[in-house]
Amino acid sequence: MKKYDYLVVGAGLFGATFAYEAMKRGKSVLVIDKRDHIAGNIYTKEEDGINVHVYGAHIFHTSDKKIWEYMNQFAEFNNYINSPVAVYKDELYNLPFNMNTFSKMWNIKTPAEAKAKIAEQIKELNITEPKNLEEQALSLVGTDVYEKLIKGYTQKQWGRPCTELPAFIIKRLPLRFTYDNNYFNDRFQGIPMGGYTQIVEKMLQGADVVVSQDYFKLVQSGKLNDGTEVSWGKLVFTGQIDEYYNSCFGPLEYRSVRFETEKLDEENYQGNAVVNYTEAEVPYTRIIEHKHFEFGKQPTTIISREYSSEWKPGVEPYYPVNNDKNNAVYQQYADKAASDKDVIFGGRLGQYKYYDMDKVVAAALECVAHEFN
């Protein structure tokens, strides 16, 4: 029987950060993951000299200097700036919505012209109390930006018409009246040179790590897949909180993403790391060309098409559907978890929250401070 202070379920960013900090404090840690690799959704795999973001684009960005410096102890980050472009029919637009976008859309030059155009369209619509996402978006950006750059993409992302989505999903839509294509407002931004997997590898040095290991089977048998009997003091669980509690308050809803990745015998397919396809008729939401994250000069390239889909058991859940109904159900699980002193829930699935990477690390460090101080 091997005994551990902590069992960490999920070798993603939350679990790895917690494990790293626990080991720094002299604790023994067993980390398991049901996938056949570590690093969760930030897993990158090197192919033909290109670091492929296997589960979609991951660009690290933060305004928190402490979190930026924390991550830089595990890898050197490059100076990548996320500047996606959007394709609508035969038109190409810069994102986020900025003067390059408006100039292309309306053949204008000045911020005053852009503001006037948007205000004119909003006034014509006369929407005072938005009843759904469509009306909310129209009341913020007007008809042209909504129809070309928001409507189709959002419907693909959520799998339902914008008229059936609640207005609160879009609280605001950032409009920039400068010629700036930097998608994020954060002070720090970049991609780890050599990919993300190395970061998690370094974090987990010193832990016992077992992949292709299902937590619920382990609990049932008390043994790892190789027959080793294990026990632990406390549990850090980064899987679905509703699954942990056997869906006793009902299932939570998630969205999933399917990836189609292919190698192409050409040096440069689309000239940018991220290209969104905003019309509903194109089945995928975007194409990622992985080499551009690290300014690659390889003779071939690798692209991934992303297809958003409804989650169902057996499929990988990617992000929560945080509408009123789901949030109310989650609150019941959170209340139950609060009285469960031997379990710590973390990450997107454990806390049913759409976290960016920096917020995942911050939440894990906050959890560590609470646990050990």
Side-chain angles (χ1 to χ4, degrees), residues 4-8 18 27-30 234 236 371-372:
Y4 297 90
D5 295 317
Y6 290 90
L7 169 63
V8 176
F18 185 94
K27 305 299 181 183
S28 57
V29 181
L30 169 63
K234 288 189 81 168
V236 177
E371 180 72 7
F372 296 109

Side-chain angles (χ1 to χ4, degrees), residues 140-282:
L140 291 169
V141 297
T143 316
D144 290 344
V145 173
Y146 171 71
E147 289 289 340
K148 292 187 174 186
L149 300 177
I150 297 171
K151 184 178 180 179
Y153 191 88
T154 304
Q155 288 182 179
K156 287 188 286 190
Q157 239 188 347
W158 292 97
R160 42 188 65 82
C162 291
T163 50
E164 293 176 17
L165 290 166
F168 71 76
I169 288 178
I170 294 182
K171 290 186 173 66
R172 63 185 190 88
L173 284 166
L175 297 171
R176 288 195 194 153
F177 297 97
T178 57
Y179 289 90
D180 178 10
N181 297 326
N182 182 357
Y183 193 80
F184 300 118
N185 289 316
D186 289 313
R187 166 70 181 83
F188 306 102
Q189 182 177 173
I191 304 279
M193 292 158 68
Y196 284 96
T197 304
Q198 58 169 332
I199 290 175
V200 177
E201 282 172 349
K202 287 172 188 169
M203 285 180 165
L204 294 180
Q205 278 175 9
D208 285 350
V209 181
V210 181
V211 295
S212 303
Q213 175 67 59
D214 182 81
Y215 165 73
F216 299 102
K217 287 180 182 171
L218 170 59
V219 169
Q220 216 169 17
S221 66
K223 297 177 183 177
L224 296 170
N225 289 343
D226 67 0
T228 305
E229 287 189 41
V230 293
S231 66
W232 54 89
K234 288 189 81 168
L235 173 68
V236 177
F237 191 81
T238 68
Q240 295 161 252
I241 191 170
D242 51 332
E243 184 183 23
Y244 180 84
Y245 286 118
N246 203 24
S247 297
C248 62
F249 300 119
L252 291 165
E253 293 179 293
Y254 304 86
R255 292 293 289 169
S256 189
V257 186
R258 179 171 62 84
F259 302 93
E260 283 183 0
T261 299
E262 62 175 312
K263 295 180 185 180
L264 300 175
D265 193 20
E266 56 183 294
E267 189 184 345
N268 188 356
Y269 175 73
Q270 63 185 19
N272 207 45
V274 182
V275 178
N276 291 3
Y277 286 79
T278 60
E279 29 169 343
E281 292 72 23
V282 177

Side-chain angles (χ1 to χ4, degrees), residues 355-369:
Y355 275 122
D356 284 330
M357 285 181 285
D358 64 321
K359 301 298 190 296
V360 170
V361 175
L365 292 175
E366 193 178 316
C367 183
V368 165

